[in-house]
Structures are given as structure tokens and as C-alpha cells.
Amino acid sequence: MAVATPATAAPAGSATVVPIQVTGDPAKRFNLVLLGDGYTEADLPTFRAHVDRHLNTPRTRTPTWPSAPTRATGS
């Protein structure tokens, strides 16, 4: 049986915080943290494009279950 070597975590101070949307007083706003698990450093432009697309796309249905019945209609 092969045993995988755990990945080495980057030092705690090495992360870069990139504000996506800044909306008002920090003491009164909700902070949403997005983690790019699975994206490599070379994929950062793609990750940022995916974040932008998902944050700025109006949603009328739950993306995971596009045909789920609603309470109002039952269909």
C-alpha cells in the first residue's frame, strides 16, 4: 500500500488578501472569504475570472439543483 505525503502548508503570513468588493464600514458588513482550493498559482487569473463571474451573475435558481421545485409553485 502506498502512503501519500501530505502537502506542506505555506507559512501563515504568506497569503495575499485581494478585496473583490468593498461595501461600507468594516464593522457593519458581512465578510465572505473565497478559497481557491484546486487552483495553482498559475491559475490565479482563471480563479479571479471565476469569482468575478459568479459574484456578478444574477441567479434566479439554485445552481446545484436547476429543476428543484419551489415552495410557491410546487413544480
Side-chain angles (χ1 to χ4, degrees), residues 4-56:
T5 304
T8 303
S14 68
T16 302
V17 175
V18 179
I20 304 296
Q21 295 177 342
V22 179
T23 56
D25 180 4
K28 297 180 180 180
R29 72 173 176 239
F30 175 78
N31 292 310
L32 176 64
V33 177
L34 303 171
L35 303 176
D37 288 356
Y39 291 88
T40 65
E41 186 174 355
D43 293 331
L44 283 178
T46 302
F47 173 66
R48 290 184 180 140
H50 289 165
V51 168
D52 185 57
R53 183 180 71 214
H54 290 290
L55 288 178
N56 295 305

Side-chain angles (χ1 to χ4, degrees), residues 68-75:
T70 63
R71 286 185 185 180
T73 63
S75 60

